[in-house]
Amino acid sequence: MESKFRFIKALKRQAVDSTPVWMMRQAGRYLPEYRAVREKMGGFLAMCKTPEVACQITLQPLKRFDLDAAIIFSDILTIPDAMGLGLKFQTNEGPYFENPVRTAADINNLVLPDMEQDLGYVMQAVRLVAHELKDKAPLIGFCGSPWTVATYMVEGKSSKQFSVIKAMMYQESALLSALLDKITKASCHYLHAQIAAGVNAVMVFDTWGGILANDCYQPFSLHYMNQIVQYLKSQPQTKDTPILLFTKNGGQYLEKIAQTGCDAIGIDWTVDIKKAKAQVGQSVALQGNLDPCVLYANPKVIEAEVKKIMQVFGQSPGHIFNLGHGIYPDINPEHVQAMIAAVRKYSALQRGNEHEP
Ligand code: CP3
């Protein structure tokens, strides 16, 4: 059955009336209405864990902008939090875990979370948003890639060098594999539960796959994302839900990523989208890939940069316009408006619905 949503159609490489557009981190600190709620709630995690608030925040960017998808307001670190690692977010410091995972005993002791008991707040937020959106826009569910989630669990916080987890990878790879297996199992059940609760597509964020040595990317990151894809494609309730994989700095692995059988690949701005399109053909859709820093420039520049990306696809199907990574907190929301207007303008021009003056 054909979806009524442009975003879902584009994921399936079907023709659309206008290129779908949304932004990673579209609900966030660049929006004054987000900052107001955050102030009241006293922190990010409290917002995630209060379904009514998570629902409200998810919908904020759609109230302001002409976006083609909502993404559930949550985080990739909800799984390790549910495993008992003691997640904290300090203002401007990023996440940290009170109990990082370092030893065989630490890994053995990790208990797989129960999706309703431990992560029910996410499912409840999904149900609320799905109910609010009805057929207005599709809702995206997500998780982190097992490798990316493991970097936070082992390092205990954000990292530049990833020394602890990489030492574990090279010296005690069986230990790391055991950890990645557990995160993968939890992620499969997590995405399955999100789909059952009402999301229309799922995305796996592999923010740190691109920091792996070339011969480590497949065994330590892609291998586990592939297992997630295979699981979801094998289950009756999830087999038709489109799956997007995004490895930041993963431009050199596009063919391998496409071979998982995912529906779409997210690309960052270091990738030549024209070459990427030629590489993957119609096997997957592509999502991206405007440099988020373009949004610091004026609307004229923004339009010119959007045009460059839009020209690559023209009328051919399988493109979802997005940034190459999440939007930054100090972006002027009016510049987002300019980006979306430019996507609409060139979509119409390319389809012959409008002529450039
Ligand atoms: O895209 C969306 O709008 C949906 C919500 C979303 C958040 N995090 C909300 C968030 C999504 C999809 C994520 C994914 C996520 N979380 C990733 C992968 C994508 C990426 O951006 O690379 C990662 C690595 C995390 C872990 C995480 N969460 C970090 C490192 C940080 C701190 C950095 C930062 O931007 O402050 C967070 C916090 C976080 N997650 C915020 C939001 C809106 C900021 C919270 C705040 O201070 O208000």
Side-chain angles (χ1 to χ4, degrees):
M1 203 180 64
E2 201 166 269
S3 170
K4 51 192 167 297
F5 300 126
R6 282 176 191 145
F7 173 66
I8 303 294
K9 284 187 187 169
L11 286 170
K12 296 185 170 171
R13 284 86 74 203
Q14 295 163 352
V16 285
D17 62 333
S18 181
T19 301
V21 51
W22 71 281
M23 292 182 301
M24 291 184 266
R25 290 283 173 96
Q26 64 188 17
R29 287 164 291 182
Y30 74 105
L31 290 178
E33 59 270 34
Y34 172 90
R35 295 195 300 267
V37 176
R38 188 174 186 264
E39 183 88 3
K40 241 188 12 219
M41 292 298 293
F44 169 66
L45 215 46
M47 291 159 84
C48 291
K49 291 188 176 181
T50 312
E52 293 72 20
V53 173
C55 170
Q56 178 194 356
I57 305 270
T58 302
L59 298 172
Q60 280 181 347
L62 281 89
K63 296 217 161 103
R64 218 186 231 267
F65 308 118
D66 177 20
L67 292 163
D68 287 298
I71 180 163
I72 190 68
F73 184 76
S74 187
D75 201 83
I76 64 167
L77 302 179
T78 49
I79 287 183
D81 182 53
M83 287 174 162
L85 269 67
L87 175 62
K88 294 259 154 67
F89 280 91
Q90 287 177 323
T91 312
N92 301 325
E93 295 267 331
Y96 86 96
F97 287 111
E98 284 173 337
N99 317 305
V101 171
R102 299 279 165 87
T103 64
D106 292 341
I107 293 169
N108 282 335
N109 290 338
L110 289 173
V111 179
L112 288 180
D114 181 279
M115 293 304 140
E116 280 303 331
Q117 234 160 48
D118 306 318
L119 290 160
Y121 64 90
V122 178
M123 307 318 150
Q124 185 54 19
V126 168
R127 284 182 209 110
L128 292 176
V129 177
H131 179 77
E132 286 282 321
L133 283 175
K134 290 197 191 76
D135 45 14
K136 281 188 271 199
L139 177 62
I140 306 167
F142 70 91
C143 68
S145 75
W147 162 258
T148 294
V149 172
T151 65
Y152 290 97
M153 292 174 76
V154 173
E155 298 286 337
K157 55 185 179 353
S158 297
S159 175
K160 285 209 169 78
Q161 251 168 252
F162 301 91
S163 309
V164 186
I165 191 165
K166 281 190 157 187
M168 185 190 277
M169 178 179 79
Y170 286 116
Q171 208 167 277
E172 300 174 281
S173 70
L175 206 59
L176 180 58
S177 300
L179 173 61
L180 292 168
D181 277 334
K182 279 201 169 171
I183 304 169
T184 302
K185 261 204 191 89
S187 305
C188 287
H189 296 154
Y190 190 45
L191 292 182
H192 190 285
Q194 290 183 42
I195 294 168
V199 304
N200 307 94
V202 292
M203 175 156 169
V204 181
F205 286 88
D206 187 28
T207 307
W208 301 121
I211 61 103
L212 283 161
N214 187 280
D215 63 344
C216 294
Y217 173 69
Q218 205 287 326
F220 289 98
S221 187
L222 188 59
H223 173 71
Y224 297 94
M225 289 198 283
N226 181 50
Q227 288 191 3
I228 294 173
V229 175
Q230 299 322 314
Y231 174 80
L232 294 177
K233 294 287 179 196
S234 73
Q235 298 296 307
Q237 211 177 356
T238 58
K239 66 179 175 28
D240 298 322
T241 305
I243 308 171
L244 246 152
L245 301 183
F246 171 57
T247 293
K248 173 125 185 289
N249 273 310
Q252 58 183 319
Y253 307 121
L254 300 182
E255 279 151 342
K256 281 187 183 159
I257 299 171
Q259 281 164 13
T260 60
C262 67
D263 297 273
I265 302 179
I267 52 175
D268 67 47
W269 60 91
T270 65
V271 173
D272 178 339
I273 187 167
K274 198 169 173 184
K275 283 193 192 146
K277 180 173 182 277
Q279 256 180 316
V280 301
Q282 281 295 303
S283 63
V284 289
L286 290 175
Q287 173 173 286
N289 68 339
L290 189 74
D291 182 347
C293 288
V294 166
L295 298 183
Y296 290 121
N298 66 46
K300 268 215 145 53
V301 174
I302 293 171
E303 180 174 332
E305 293 293 329
V306 167
K307 181 179 180 183
K308 282 195 223 163
I309 294 174
M310 292 295 289
Q311 278 172 336
V312 171
F313 274 83
Q315 285 199 42
S316 48
H319 181 221
I320 296 116
F321 195 96
N322 205 314
L323 303 175
H325 197 199
I327 185 170
Y328 300 125
D330 56 348
I331 294 294
N332 177 351
E334 283 174 23
H335 289 195
V336 171
Q337 193 77 58
M339 179 193 84
I340 297 169
V343 173
R344 294 291 174 237
K345 175 176 167 181
Y346 289 102
S347 286
L349 282 171
Q350 284 160 353
R351 287 165 181 80
N353 300 334
E354 209 174 272
H355 298 282
E356 196 147 21

